[in-house]
Amino acid sequence: MRADIVWWDLSASGQTIETMRDYLRGESVTAFSKVPGLRFKMWLSDPATNRWGAVLLWESEEASRQALPSRALELIGYPPIAAHGFDVEATTEGRYTTQRLSLQGLAFTETAEQESG
């Protein structure tokens, strides 16, 4: 297994965390759900530092080298400030109550709250 971590500083971009959330809802989550060999992708944000990023978990290093359906580079306008790949030493899943892992997070919970409010 392989893991990738990428981070952007959005300070010099025309994009914001909110516009990137729109991108997630509009296309990126759906596109990444169809990527062969991708076990998991989690998008991250840090409003205090204006950073945006992701963690990807791959079945293999070969799978991690394929072209990805991401327009983040195009939208943000420059490469990430950090992009690193790692070998995965071990994985586990803890005990949890949320059965569905897909479509969780602020990009989806804030939308649901806005629609019900």
Side-chain angles (χ1 to χ4, degrees):
M1 295 190 96
R2 185 84 176 157
D4 292 328
I5 299 174
V6 296
W7 268 116
W8 272 275
D9 180 341
L10 297 177
S11 298
S13 175
Q15 299 297 324
T16 65
I17 289 171
E18 291 76 22
T19 62
M20 293 305 291
R21 283 183 189 149
D22 291 341
Y23 164 63
L24 292 181
R25 287 188 292 266
E27 68 181 89
S28 193
V29 170
T30 300
F32 272 91
S33 71
K34 299 171 186 168
V35 172
L38 178 64
R39 291 294 310 225
F40 173 80
K41 180 169 183 180
M42 173 175 53
W43 290 265
L44 307 166
S45 68
D46 183 1
T49 61
N50 204 27
R51 292 199 177 171
W52 180 262
V55 176
L56 299 89
L57 180 63
W58 298 96
E59 288 182 322
S60 67
E61 185 174 349
E62 180 183 12
S64 75
R65 290 190 300 245
Q66 68 185 290
L68 299 177
S70 178
R71 290 191 318 114
L73 177 64
E74 172 189 338
L75 293 171
I76 295 169
Y78 47 85
I81 60 170
H84 303 285
F86 303 92
D87 293 326
V88 174
E89 296 293 337
T91 64
T92 189
E93 290 188 53
R95 299 177 66 193
Y96 51 87
T97 56
T98 303
Q99 296 298 312
R100 182 179 179 176
L101 188 56
S102 294
L103 305 179
Q104 300 294 317
L106 293 174
F108 296 100
T109 57
E110 287 184 353
T111 299
E113 290 170 4
Q114 290 169 354
E115 290 173 357
S116 67

